[in-house]
Amino acid sequence: MTKSQRTTAPPSPPVLGPRALSRATLARQLLLSRSPMSATAAVEHLLGLQAQNVKPPYYALAARLDGFTPEALSRPLADREVVRIVTLRSTIHTHTADDCLTLRPLVQAARDRELHHFRAGLAGVDLDRLAVRARALVEEEPRTMKELREALLEDWPDADPQALSVAARCKLPLVQITPRGLWGRSGQVRLTTAERWLGRPAEPAQAPDATVLRYLAAFGPASVKDMQTWAGLTRLREAFERLRTRLVTFRDENGTELFDLPDAPRPDPDTPAPPRFLPEFDNLLLSHADRTRVVPPELKGRHWSGNVAYRTLLVDGFLAGLWRLDDDALVIEPFGRLDRARRAEVTAEAERMLGVLHPGRRYDVRFGTVRE
């Protein structure tokens, strides 16, 4: 072989360990230092907030934003700049109006696949006709799921009632109208279409490339499988390959290829990470296939019990315990011993969070049983 025929193997991508991935993701998630951006801008940057319950988006933003108040999210919800809708992973998310109209079409294929699990209860049901009927019902007036189910049963009396309501939710972009979702307000879940609520049509489903870039900006560095876990989609490899020349690549300690934006923040692994109190179902803990950047391997599954997720405490950027609000106390249950300095930092962060979300109400901050 002549010298000119020799080829040099391309250099191996740099390896990022859990601490490096922790700091990079925390920075993107606005959890390494709090951001001055508005609540609506943060919801957009984060591509939505998990919102099965009303309060989690407020706790999520209180942990991430400087100067946040509950009204900062309630106001755009009431003004229809932000909405609650089933999107990613078939769960309710708080999205900006623009993302509601673009992300929901992107994940529609996953909602269609979800219906396969209910096909026995939908025997003989024309799903296209059901979508037309359900749209007419909820656009005539917002309806509860019970009201919608009962109306659909008039057309398909032999169908499974639950399957009918799931089919309507999967076929249509149904948003939960206010006052549902407003801080300190109560209200039944009443539904109408995103188009009716927002006064403009949804956009046709587009290639996922732009969403890949936004996902990396909020959750990267990440693998293809990570994004597929976040979105509840499959077959995203092609989009990453189309974007490869615009991205940089790394490997994790298991050899998995990770993609990232060239100029995205990747802080030093030793960058201090302050304590943070996160709500149940926070996106930080749900948006990667490999969650060791947040959840140490020995704590895998400790923040779940069946289908129930607990509120979580981060210390030094990693899952370190659970927390709950009792009648008069915020109770912290760490997974290991915290030294005096750490306890002081955690207490200060707890008091700050309580002052933001529960001003004027007195809570004691208590450390409960250590969960060994």
Side-chain angles (χ1 to χ4, degrees), residues 1 12 55 71 95 130 169 201 263 335:
M1 181 182 295
S12 299
K55 292 182 180 179
E71 180 63 16
H95 287 295
L130 179 143
R169 188 199 70 183
D263 298 328
F335 288 134

Side-chain angles (χ1 to χ4, degrees), residues 31-104:
L31 289 166
L32 203 56
S33 61
R34 272 183 273 271
S35 169
M37 68 174 60
S38 70
T40 302
V43 171
E44 179 182 16
H45 167 72
L46 298 167
L47 284 129
L49 298 170
Q50 194 94 359
Q52 282 98 318
N53 301 320
V54 168
K55 292 182 180 179
Y58 293 88
Y59 284 102
L61 292 178
R64 290 167 164 88
L65 300 183
D66 187 27
F68 176 76
T69 65
E71 180 63 16
L73 180 59
S74 285
R75 188 185 311 112
L77 275 164
D79 291 343
R80 308 189 190 191
E81 298 169 7
V82 171
V83 299
R84 292 166 55 85
I85 183 172
V86 171
T87 51
L88 310 167
R89 304 182 299 279
S90 192
T91 54
I92 299 167
H93 279 69
T94 297
H95 287 295
T96 64
D98 287 344
D99 280 348
C100 165
L101 296 172
T102 56
L103 285 178
R104 174 55 194 248

Side-chain angles (χ1 to χ4, degrees), residues 283-295:
N283 284 13
L284 177 71
L285 283 83
L286 297 173
S287 300
H288 300 89
D290 180 354
R291 297 169 185 171
T292 54
R293 69 183 67 197
V294 183
V295 182

Side-chain angles (χ1 to χ4, degrees), residues 334-349:
F335 288 134
R337 301 289 175 181
L338 298 177
D339 62 28
R340 181 176 297 179
R342 289 289 193 201
R343 288 169 70 98
E345 291 176 351
V346 169
T347 299
E349 178 66 13

Side-chain angles (χ1 to χ4, degrees), residues 100-118:
C100 165
L101 296 172
T102 56
L103 285 178
R104 174 55 194 248
L106 177 67
V107 301
Q108 184 57 46
R111 302 290 69 74
D112 292 339
R113 287 196 302 273
E114 184 182 349
L115 282 175
H116 295 325
H117 301 297
F118 298 88

